[in-house]
Amino acid sequence: MRLFDTLSREMRELRPMDGTSFRFYCCGPTVYGPAHIGNFRTFVLQDVFRRVLETSGVRTLHVRNITDVDDKTIRDSQAAGLPLKEFTDGWKGKFHADCEALNCLAPHVEPGAVEHIPQQIAMIAELVEKGHAYAAADGSVYFRIDSFPEYGRLSHLDTRELALGKTQEARANSDEYEKDSVADFVLWKARRPEDGENFWQSPWGEGRPGWHLECSAMIREYLGADFDLHSGGVDLVFPHHENEIAQSRCSCGGHFAAHWFHITHLMVDGGKMSKSLGNLYTLADLAARGHTAMEVRYVLIGGHYRKPLNFTLDSLSAAREALAKLAKGARALAARAGEGHVLQAVDFGPFQSAWDALNDDLNTPGALGGLFTGLRDSSGLAGPEAAAALAAMQRVLRALGLTLPEEVGEVEIPEEVRAMAEERWAARAAKDWAKSDTLRDALAELGWTVKDGREGYELQPR
Ligand code: AMP
Ligand code: ZN
């Protein structure tokens, strides 16, 4: 599989560095509210990525963290009057339920930040010892970006931005900040009154780890100093991933991630979908409007991950139709396959272009298009050939994580077609075979096939 790498800005072939399993990390959700479908664009694309590797026979190790302590989780748990753990556990449960509804595979390891405080403290101590970090008067500890010449390479910060940060001797104490405030960033935050009970002991006094540090500590614990790929939404490139690289390279040595995979944002009305802008949709919001999680998944994979995708409610209705069409096509193929079952497709046959698209920079819209052309190209197949094509189609569907609706909703049959079919059924009952055949041909002209049963007939679009 070829995939664009944010760091080198090149398309690169992916192969597990240890020759056996592809080990990758995804920054997980901050559990302080429901994840919105923008977040899920990122998680669903990461899921397709993993499925494509696994469909190719590559074993994976997928690690994704849960941010269960940071500025936002503490603030909102207090507003809710709940202990931090109780508050974040509730949102974590909801996140898992949404992931399941969206058919996202559970990561193999899903570590939480609170459970890994000792590992984070140990990493800070190492950074201080090696001269990459320093304690400020209030007991907070900062990473000295000046001590890491490669700082800024991932996000391609220019020298002006870097110089600005360095000359200002600025420090960022909050977890999130913008690119124009390149600054020494916080590794350990000294306890403040508003933190309530949420603090831990450390060599620098009471406090809690900064957000960027948790990923570095989890990665070290579960993937080591070198691993195959790191991923998140594009907003994480700076400062989060830049900071992760600095922390990890300076403490563990090694190269950190060999490849960087970033997913562009889901937009609404031309703006980023985000909680702070109040323009977000959750799965629950969309379910209340009658849309299934599978329709949402279809919409999310309907755009290429390197391009912004504008979300509209209409796109969900289009997704419903597309899924119904695919289901219908699959059923027709199954009917023509008859008894000739193929459990595992050897190659992708008419669905080769769909599979190729996925392997070419995870082109999910190309793969969806390929499903439809694959169906069209297999329309003449029957018996074992149809069975093989069906198995190939199912393999692509599994790679995309799509499950098709069991039954197509009522197929819209135009009035004149219905009337003609009724007339033909009556002619048949009257044993007027000539009329019946003429009407069958007329229906075929209009694109409909009639199948006669003992009790009635079935109309199928061709
Ligand atoms: P958070 O819970 O805010 O830490 O975000 C979880 C993941 O969702 C991160 O990888 C973010 O980069 C990603 N994300 C946030 N907003 C969007 C969006 N509008 N479109 C796509 N991904 C997003
Ligand atoms: Zn992270």
Side-chain angles (χ1 to χ4, degrees):
M1 174 182 195
R2 273 155 35 97
L3 192 75
F4 183 80
D5 169 38
T6 316
L7 180 62
S8 64
R9 294 184 178 177
E10 279 170 1
M11 206 72 80
R12 289 169 54 202
E13 194 69 38
L14 298 179
R15 261 183 218 97
M17 59 173 67
D18 69 3
T20 51
S21 85
F22 193 89
R23 299 170 310 120
F24 70 106
Y25 185 86
C26 302
C27 294
T30 308
V31 281
Y32 71 114
H36 56 73
I37 59 166
N39 300 135
F40 282 117
R41 180 181 196 198
T42 291
F43 297 130
V44 163
L45 263 298
Q46 289 164 343
D47 184 62
V48 177
F49 166 75
R50 169 175 161 188
R51 286 168 175 273
V52 171
L53 287 178
E54 292 181 354
T55 303
S56 314
V58 177
R59 210 184 317 147
T60 64
L61 175 60
H62 177 195
V63 183
R64 185 180 69 204
N65 70 310
I66 295 277
T67 298
D68 52 8
V69 58
D70 78 329
D71 298 347
K72 295 181 285 195
T73 45
I74 292 179
R75 180 194 67 202
D76 290 6
S77 64
Q78 291 180 344
L82 290 174
L84 184 63
K85 180 160 168 46
E86 200 176 313
F87 176 77
T88 55
D89 274 353
W91 289 117
K92 187 169 133 184
K94 289 216 163 46
F95 174 70
H96 285 157
D98 282 355
C99 285
E100 202 178 316
L102 283 164
N103 208 20
C104 290
L105 300 168
H108 301 105
V109 191
E110 196 178 43
V114 171
E115 292 161 18
H116 294 79
I117 302 283
Q119 289 89 333
Q120 295 175 73
I121 292 179
M123 189 173 263
I124 301 173
E126 211 173 325
L127 289 169
V128 171
E129 197 181 312
K130 291 182 177 166
H132 292 291
Y134 58 92
D138 69 344
S140 291
V141 181
Y142 292 86
F143 186 93
R144 181 179 284 124
I145 59 168
D146 244 355
S147 74
F148 182 56
E150 287 180 36
Y151 192 85
R153 265 186 56 197
L154 178 72
S155 49
H156 307 277
L157 289 180
D158 62 31
T159 42
R160 191 195 60 82
E161 285 160 324
L162 280 171
L164 196 71
K166 287 173 188 169
T167 52
Q168 281 177 340
E169 290 187 0
R171 274 185 209 147
N173 192 281
S174 71
D175 283 332
E176 289 165 79
Y177 49 91
E178 299 297 325
K179 201 164 166 173
D180 57 8
S181 60
V182 177
D184 287 0
F185 59 90
V186 73
L187 298 170
W188 183 259
K189 297 171 97 138
R191 181 182 171 190
R192 293 173 307 184
E194 57 266 38
D195 291 340
E197 294 307 301
N198 305 304
F199 63 88
W200 290 265
Q201 300 293 340
S202 82
W204 315 279
E206 293 168 342
R208 62 186 165 94
W211 171 49
H212 310 294
L213 191 73
E214 72 181 89
C215 291
S216 286
M218 312 283 187
I219 288 170
R220 178 182 222 172
E221 180 91 357
Y222 299 102
L223 296 169
D226 289 279
F227 58 105
D228 293 299
L229 177 139
H230 196 318
S231 168
V234 75
D235 57 313
L236 299 188
V237 175
F238 182 88
H240 185 58
H241 288 162
E242 203 68 78
N243 293 354
E244 280 188 36
I245 294 174
Q247 294 160 160
S248 296
R249 301 259 330 249
C250 293
S251 59
C252 324
H255 286 96
F256 204 52
H259 197 112
W260 287 90
F261 167 39
H262 288 107
I263 294 103
T264 309
H265 279 147
L266 183 69
M267 319 287 275
V268 196
D269 304 325
K272 175 189 165 187
M273 180 178 287
S274 78
K275 191 164 178 176
S276 49
L277 295 176
N279 61 358
L280 55 81
Y281 288 100
T282 63
L283 277 194
D285 297 334
L286 298 173
R289 291 170 182 261
H291 290 291
T292 64
M294 208 34 68
E295 288 159 19
V296 175
R297 183 169 177 116
Y298 192 97
V299 168
L300 295 177
I301 63 176
H304 191 266
Y305 78 90
R306 281 209 278 148
K307 295 197 183 118
L309 177 65
N310 197 41
F311 175 76
T312 62
L313 289 169
D314 282 349
S315 61
L316 284 171
S317 308
R320 172 171 300 176
E321 279 172 31
L323 284 164
K325 261 192 204 157
L326 289 174
K328 194 159 194 298
R331 267 201 298 279
L333 204 48
R336 288 202 308 280
E339 294 302 304
H341 289 302
V342 176
L343 291 178
Q344 178 71 35
V346 212
D347 59 38
F348 286 90
F351 295 91
Q352 188 65 46
S353 71
W355 177 243
D356 289 346
L358 285 176
N359 284 282
D360 185 12
D361 201 21
L362 206 64
N363 182 356
T364 49
L368 292 176
L371 283 174
F372 288 99
T373 46
L375 276 175
R376 196 194 59 209
D377 294 347
S378 32
S379 62
L381 304 180
E385 285 184 328
L390 181 62
M393 178 185 182
Q394 284 163 342
R395 212 165 156 206
V396 175
L397 287 168
R398 271 201 303 279
L400 288 166
L402 287 179
T403 50
L404 299 179
E406 292 285 313
E407 277 304 322
V408 199
E410 275 294 306
V411 183
E412 287 234 346
I413 301 172
E415 216 25 70
E416 52 158 348
V417 171
R418 172 72 69 195
M420 222 183 249
E422 287 293 342
E423 197 185 339
R424 183 183 162 276
W425 185 250
R428 214 171 159 271
K431 300 200 182 343
D432 185 349
W433 308 120
K435 185 173 180 190
S436 160
D437 285 349
T438 311
L439 285 165
R440 176 192 286 274
D441 293 344
L443 284 164
E445 282 284 306
L446 294 172
W448 295 82
T449 308
V450 209
K451 274 195 168 174
D452 292 318
R454 211 175 305 181
E455 312 293 347
Y457 63 86
E458 202 188 325
L459 270 175
Q460 289 178 343
R462 297 203 299 170

